[in-house]
């Protein structure tokens, strides 16, 4: 006799996938805010490719294998995580929902995964960390930093992060200046009244005096460079140092040479230089150059559990998502972030089971094919 039908794990009647979440969340946001979150830079080529580039890969499933004990867990930043996903550091989350980064942190903690804290968060490191630790004392946070003109402030941020138990610095290396963001200029995008950047010690008053672009220029040091900044960071902190924004074999080798702990293959969600490759297309050359000598994570355009699977098969150890967390917040605060993480988890686990993978280590290059000839980014 057939058993009872297995219910589909649907937590919300409107949201079945991440694209549903994007659509419903976007309806709730005013134009300027929606465009700030959802846009890429200049001609929107890279943001488009970040998601669509996944489509050229095909999964090669192995069948008739016992997948009843499929285990999605892995490790990230020195601890066991329930599955290989984290929330990337994205600023201004309280514009999507008043609970902002605190809600994101709690949702990540409950799901047993890690989170990056943007230096442009609307809550303090202490508030974000303690919200997560209350739900999962083992939770890890990475502190995202920019290279700053004000070294004293940069150091204070590092000390805050250490005091609160952050494990790693994600040094964002792709932003000596901001990308060309026509939407922000057209809409004269400003941080809404009442929101501050406490980690940067900027209150709401200070922020409103200038545009997003001007304020970024005023604190960020476009003289940043490998030989000045990485040894300095090493000399002042014992936290791991990760470079966020690597897209080439050359910079992967540079990160190894400078003794960094990891790289995050990222193009800032297509918000910095438009026309750079999709991260899934940049990943293979970084993995090949690294040859196992440095940890490699990836973010940008990951919108399904199968996208995560493809990134892992191409050699990333762990995936991060930015906008999906913001859409979760905008849709339903902390519950919306739960819904987002559950969606990724369910899709990823099913993808593993349907390909015959019982552990994350089983996800290898052999699990993938391409539908058309494909090689690393060709050089002219
Ligand atoms: C609204 C928004 C704000 C962001 N703020 C930061 C930031 O403060 N620092 C940073 O390193 N990256 C920032 N990012 C980039 C994310 O960390 C991440 O690289 C990107 O969102 C990943 O792409 P995805 O949104 O397609 O998942 C931001 C992204 C968005 C969408
Ligand atoms: O917009 C971004 O991509 C970003 O990095 C940022 C910077 C300052 C405040 C909020 C987000």
């Amino acid at each position: 006799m057939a058993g009872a039908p297995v219910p589909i794990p649907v937590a919300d009647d409107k949201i079945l996938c991440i694209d549903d979440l994007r659509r419903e969340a976007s309806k709730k946001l005013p134009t300027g805010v929606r465009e700030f979150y959802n846009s890429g830079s200049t001609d929107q080529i890279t943001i488009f490719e970040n998601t669509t580039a996944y489509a050229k890969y095909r999964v090669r499933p192995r069948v008739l294998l016992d997948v009843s004990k499929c285990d999605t867990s892995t490790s990230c930043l020195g601890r066991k995580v329930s599955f290989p996903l984290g929330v990337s550091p994205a600023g201004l989350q309280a514009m999507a929902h008043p609970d902002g980064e605190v809600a994101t942190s709690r949702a990540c903690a409950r799901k047993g995964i890690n989170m990056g804290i943007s230096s442009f968060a609307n809550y303090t490191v202490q508030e974000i960390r303690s919200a997560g630790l209350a739900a999962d004392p083992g939770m890890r946070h990475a502190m995202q930093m920019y290279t700053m003109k004000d070294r004293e402030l940069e150091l204070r941020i590092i000390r805050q992060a250490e005091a609160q138990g952050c494990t790693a610095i994600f040094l964002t290396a792709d932003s000596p200046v901001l990308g060309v963001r026509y939407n922000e200029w057209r809409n004269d995008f400003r941080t809404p009244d009442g929101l501050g950047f406490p980690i940067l010690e900027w209150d709401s008053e200070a922020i409103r005096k200038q545009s997003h672009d001007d304020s970024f220029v005023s604190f960020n040091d476009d003289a940043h460079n490998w030989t000045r900044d990485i040894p300095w960071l090493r000399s002042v902190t014992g936290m791991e140092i990760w470079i966020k924004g690597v897209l080439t074999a050359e910079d992967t080798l540079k990160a190894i040479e400078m003794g960094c702990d990891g790289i995050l293959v990222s193009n800032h969600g297509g918000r910095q230089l438009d026309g750079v490759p999709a991260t899934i297309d940049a990943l293979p050359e970084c993995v090949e150059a690294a040859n196992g000598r440095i940890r490699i994570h990836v973010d940008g355009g990951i919108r399904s559990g199968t996208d995560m699977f493809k990134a892992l098969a191409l050699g990333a150890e762990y995936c991060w998502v930015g906008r999906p967390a913001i859409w979760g917040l905008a849709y339903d605060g902390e519950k919306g972030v739960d819904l987002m993480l559950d969606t990724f988890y369910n899709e990823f686990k099913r993808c593993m089971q349907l390909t015959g993978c019982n552990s994350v280590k089983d996800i290898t290059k052999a699990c993938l094919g391409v539908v058309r000839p494909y090689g690393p980014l060709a050089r002219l």
Side-chain angles (χ1 to χ4, degrees), residues 7-240:
I8 298 169
V10 174
D12 184 288
D13 57 359
K14 277 207 197 103
I15 312 295
L16 298 177
C17 63
I18 299 302
D19 200 52
D20 291 340
L21 191 61
R22 178 196 56 74
R23 187 191 61 242
E24 294 304 318
S26 297
K27 282 183 197 165
K28 296 192 172 192
L29 297 170
T31 305
V33 171
R34 184 184 65 246
E35 292 191 355
F36 173 76
Y37 285 145
N38 292 1
S39 298
S41 50
T42 325
D43 297 319
Q44 316 295 317
I45 292 169
T46 296
I47 186 179
F48 175 75
E49 281 211 343
N50 265 356
T51 49
T52 54
Y54 278 93
K56 69 174 159 288
Y57 294 100
R58 291 291 177 270
V59 175
R60 298 181 65 245
R62 297 298 310 274
V63 297
L64 219 61
L65 294 169
D66 174 357
V67 289
S68 58
K69 295 182 190 67
C70 171
D71 176 6
T72 60
S73 70
T74 182
S75 68
C76 174
L77 303 179
R79 73 119 171 188
K80 188 175 178 188
V81 285
S82 61
F83 76 124
L85 188 74
V87 172
S88 295
L92 265 176
Q93 295 188 16
M95 191 166 68
H97 186 278
D99 297 342
E101 294 84 1
V102 161
T104 304
S105 187
R106 274 199 215 106
C108 287
R110 270 203 311 276
K111 197 74 209 167
I113 60 169
N114 295 334
M115 173 188 175
I117 301 175
S118 165
S119 46
F120 278 90
N122 299 121
Y123 285 89
T124 62
V125 182
Q126 198 265 332
E127 287 166 324
I128 299 167
R129 272 287 286 162
S130 58
L133 294 191
D136 174 5
M139 180 180 190
R140 300 278 207 264
H141 286 88
M143 181 70 228
Q144 180 270 326
M145 316 236 359
Y146 290 103
T147 44
M148 304 178 73
K149 290 192 174 103
D150 182 346
R151 282 304 176 99
E152 295 295 313
L153 178 55
E154 192 172 344
L155 203 50
R156 285 201 293 283
I157 297 174
I158 291 168
R159 294 291 171 248
Q160 273 180 65
E162 286 171 336
Q164 298 304 323
C166 290
T167 317
I169 290 177
F170 279 5
L171 183 71
T172 300
D174 57 21
S175 307
V177 294
L178 274 186
V180 174
R181 302 173 179 186
Y182 295 134
N183 79 88
E184 290 177 23
W185 305 348
R186 192 180 299 119
N187 299 328
D188 188 23
F189 174 76
R190 308 251 161 168
T191 302
D193 267 341
L195 293 185
F197 297 130
I199 299 173
L200 295 170
E201 302 171 9
W202 286 355
D203 60 17
S204 173
E205 277 293 289
I207 297 164
R208 283 196 68 78
K209 291 205 180 93
Q210 31 188 357
S211 70
H212 186 49
D213 202 66
D214 287 343
S215 64
F216 195 84
V217 169
S218 73
F219 89 90
N220 191 50
D221 190 358
D222 59 1
H224 72 182
N225 64 79
W226 290 98
T227 43
R228 185 194 71 179
D229 291 288
I230 309 305
W232 181 77
L233 280 174
R234 266 286 178 242
S235 73
V236 297
T237 183
M239 286 186 286
E240 289 188 5

Side-chain angles (χ1 to χ4, degrees), residues 286-333:
C286 299
V287 170
E288 193 189 322
N291 198 18
R293 288 174 295 169
I294 193 165
R295 297 190 170 279
I296 302 185
H297 293 181
V298 65
D299 77 9
I302 297 168
R303 300 293 179 262
S304 71
T306 301
D307 290 347
M308 292 173 58
F309 183 94
K310 289 174 177 176
L312 264 52
L314 286 171
E317 228 185 304
Y318 196 76
C319 300
W320 299 81
V321 289
R323 293 181 184 85
I326 287 172
W327 295 328
L329 280 176
Y331 178 66
D332 197 12

Side-chain angles (χ1 to χ4, degrees), residues 376-380:
L377 183 68
R379 277 171 232 206
L380 298 177

